[in-house]
Each structure stands twice: as C-alpha cells, then as structure tokens.
Amino acid sequence: MHGFLTYMAVIVGGALGGTARFTLTLFVPDHEWLGIVLANVSGCFFMGWAIQALNTKSRVPTFVKKGTTVGFIGGYTTMSTFIADFFSFMTKNWLLALVYVFSSVCGGILLAWLGMVVGKKVAFC
C-alpha cells in the first residue's frame, strides 16, 4: 500500500506541476520561452527548499516527499523544452540563445541555493 500511495503522489504531482508550467507560458503568449525559464529557475528554488525542508525531516511521509520533488517539481520544470528552445534560438538569434542558457542555468543554481537557505530556516515539520 505504501508504494502505491507514493506512485499516486508522483502521478498527481506530475500532472499538477506540468499544468502549472503550461499556465506560466500562457502569461507571455508571444514568448512562451519566458514561462519556461521562470518555471525552471523557480523550480530550482522549490527543489532547494524541498531538499532542506522536506527531505531532512523524518516525520514527512515518503509519498509527500516524492510527490513534491519527483512529481510536482519534476513535472513543473522541463529540460526537454529548454533544449528545444535553445536550438530554436540558435538558428535565429545566437545572443538570445546565450542569454537563455545563462539565465536558466545560473539563475537555477542561484535559486536552488537560495531555496536551500530558506528551507533551513522555514521547515514545516
């Protein structure tokens, strides 16, 4: 039963995360890639927070940890769209492609670290 609950949490979390990512792209209809950047870097923050706030607490059930990290955050962020956008930009505007990669990667690293800092101070359990 425990394994089933974890699988279901990952499935539901993934569906919610993917829906949240898609929703971000709707706010910038002519520049969907901005929504992807925002999803990827904020997802890094959420993952950093989750590592500290959820995974270091033994009282948080495994299905909550996996549903949040693997499910929601995994569905919310997207490496495949990031790579596809990068190659699309490379054929049109190499400078935009570099800005896209730099802001996504460096912004993601910075926000993951910030999420870990916040997660140490603001843990729910």
Side-chain angles (χ1 to χ4, degrees):
M1 179 64 176
H2 177 60
F4 176 75
L5 192 57
T6 300
Y7 278 109
M8 293 307 298
V10 170
I11 290 167
V12 170
L16 293 172
T19 301
R21 173 179 23 94
F22 176 72
T23 301
L24 283 177
T25 65
L26 297 177
F27 290 107
V28 283
D30 294 331
H31 303 287
E32 292 88 3
W33 63 272
L34 286 172
I36 299 302
V37 171
L38 181 59
N40 285 337
V41 297
S42 64
C44 290
F45 174 84
F46 295 143
M47 186 63 80
W49 169 83
I51 288 168
Q52 290 297 322
L54 297 177
N55 290 336
T56 59
K57 302 295 182 179
S58 60
R59 296 185 325 191
V60 177
T62 299
F63 77 92
V64 172
K65 292 176 184 179
K66 296 296 182 185
T68 301
T69 57
V70 177
F72 183 82
I73 299 170
Y76 180 67
T77 60
T78 175
M79 182 58 91
S80 57
T81 303
F82 169 70
I83 296 302
D85 285 345
F86 169 74
F87 281 111
S88 175
F89 291 145
M90 281 300 290
T91 62
K92 299 172 190 165
N93 183 337
W94 66 269
L95 185 58
L96 179 59
L98 292 178
V99 168
Y100 181 65
V101 168
F102 181 79
S103 63
S104 295
V105 173
C106 294
I109 290 169
L110 177 65
L111 285 168
W113 171 80
L114 183 61
M116 293 175 76
V117 169
V118 171
K120 271 187 182 176
K121 296 180 187 306
V122 183
F124 291 113
C125 300

